[in-house]
Amino acid sequence: MIILKSPEEIERLRVSNRIVANALAQVVKAVKPGVSTDELDRLAEDLIREAGATPAFKGYRGYPRTLCTSINKEVVHGIPSPDRKLQEGDILSVDVGARYEGYYGDTAVTIGVGQISPEAQRVMEVAQEALHRGIACARASNRLFDISNAIQRCAEGAGFSVVRQFVGHGIGAALHEEPQIPNFGEPGQGPRLSAGMVLAIEPMVNRGGSDVRLLSDNWTVVTADGSLSAHFEHTILVAEDGAEILSRPDGASEGAHD
Ligand code: MF3
Ligand code: CO
Ligand code: CO
């Protein structure tokens, strides 16, 4: 069942998502060559706690940290570590979640470290564009897989592939609720969308093939062929006439494209 949120629940989801978006914006500013993913993780945890929320991923199924930090061929769920220092030319996905008064926020971006190659730049741009194409289909009366299809067409149209083993999701009083939101699918299929649904949409786009594998830490997901991967995520509210992005930082304009 897809839970429709009440106005009171939506208010809390606005707060939790603003908190993760603000934390992510600060983490992004701290990214540079030589910084470890552990330092970024500590910064995020401090910011989330200062805002009166708690990290959502820490302790989730035994996950140890506040952020997921996934570099280059890592797709998602990379674990921050003091041994992992960012290098010029890397691309880094940072995913952050928080819980505020019982409601969750979840958002991610991929950014370049210093100067990056045109190939790396392109896969990031396409993944971000795919997210926004998906969001543009999230309105009442559309079907869920209209979102999925828009993402798939954008990524594959650019010559890249979408990861199929991991999906977006409903979000609310749980981090992961129904429905699952694949990043591929047939338009006009899937459940009908209604105002009051809150969804975390999160395309993972690989430069090479769509296959992934799990590293021996049992968390880090990498591309099977070692190609670069980019990941972007927003939590959105479905409304009658379109979607509202909840995971925007303070001061971001409604039309801002990140
Ligand atoms: N942030 C992931 C998502 O977007 C979930 C991470 S769960 C963790 O759904 F345990 F790996 F942190
Ligand atoms: Co996430
Ligand atoms: Co998510």
Side-chain angles (χ1 to χ4, degrees):
M1 191 194 54
I2 305 177
I3 301 169
L4 299 183
K5 270 69 182 188
S6 68
E8 293 73 26
E9 292 179 297
I10 289 167
E11 269 324 299
R12 289 179 178 162
L13 285 159
R14 279 186 202 291
V15 178
S16 56
N17 279 285
R18 194 178 308 126
I19 290 169
V20 288
N22 284 338
L24 185 58
Q26 291 302 115
V27 168
V28 164
K29 281 191 198 163
V31 166
K32 58 177 185 220
V35 169
S36 74
T37 52
D38 175 72
E39 290 169 69
L40 300 177
D41 188 79
R42 287 166 190 277
L43 171 62
E45 178 162 359
D46 287 349
L47 291 166
I48 287 168
R49 294 198 190 279
E50 276 166 27
T54 47
F57 305 161
K58 207 172 190 174
Y60 179 87
R61 299 183 180 206
Y63 187 77
R65 305 303 293 260
T66 294
L67 296 181
C68 298
T69 49
S70 310
I71 301 171
N72 297 337
K73 69 175 182 180
E74 297 169 2
V75 179
V76 285
H77 304 166
I79 303 173
S81 160
D83 303 331
R84 207 67 199 278
K85 288 199 168 44
L86 300 173
Q87 295 181 2
E88 178 103 16
D90 284 343
I91 63 170
L92 168 71
S93 155
V94 182
D95 192 339
V96 57
R99 185 169 182 261
Y100 175 82
E101 291 186 356
Y103 287 81
Y104 285 87
D106 189 7
T107 186
V109 292
T110 301
I111 60 162
V113 180
Q115 278 283 106
I116 62 171
S117 69
E119 293 74 27
Q121 186 70 40
R122 180 85 184 124
V123 72
M124 292 197 304
E125 279 168 10
V126 168
Q128 186 175 29
E129 178 67 23
L131 171 60
H132 287 282
R133 296 277 184 93
I135 292 171
C137 295
R139 80 179 81 85
S141 86
N142 266 8
R143 299 272 189 167
L144 186 69
F145 300 161
D146 293 333
I147 299 173
S148 310
N149 181 259
I151 290 169
Q152 178 180 19
R153 273 191 297 123
C154 180
E156 292 181 356
F160 301 147
S161 63
V162 291
V163 172
R164 291 165 179 256
Q165 274 107 315
F166 294 87
V167 294
H169 50 95
I171 179 169
L175 176 61
H176 295 135
E177 292 182 353
E178 286 180 31
Q180 293 195 8
I181 310 173
N183 292 304
F184 62 95
E186 293 303 316
Q189 303 289 312
R192 202 173 284 285
L193 299 175
S194 338
M197 290 180 180
V198 177
L199 307 174
I201 303 176
E202 49 179 315
M204 290 144 266
V205 175
N206 299 348
R207 268 190 67 78
S210 62
D211 277 4
V212 296
R213 65 184 182 84
L214 190 62
L215 295 189
S216 57
D217 64 12
N218 276 323
W219 279 107
T220 312
V221 176
V222 298
T223 57
D225 60 11
S227 66
L228 290 176
S229 186
H231 172 223
F232 283 81
E233 176 175 29
H234 269 311
T235 295
I236 60 122
L237 169 66
V238 179
E240 287 301 337
D241 52 349
E244 180 190 345
I245 296 175
L246 301 183
S247 47
R248 274 198 196 290
D250 287 314
S253 67
E254 179 47 35
H257 224 61
D258 54 15

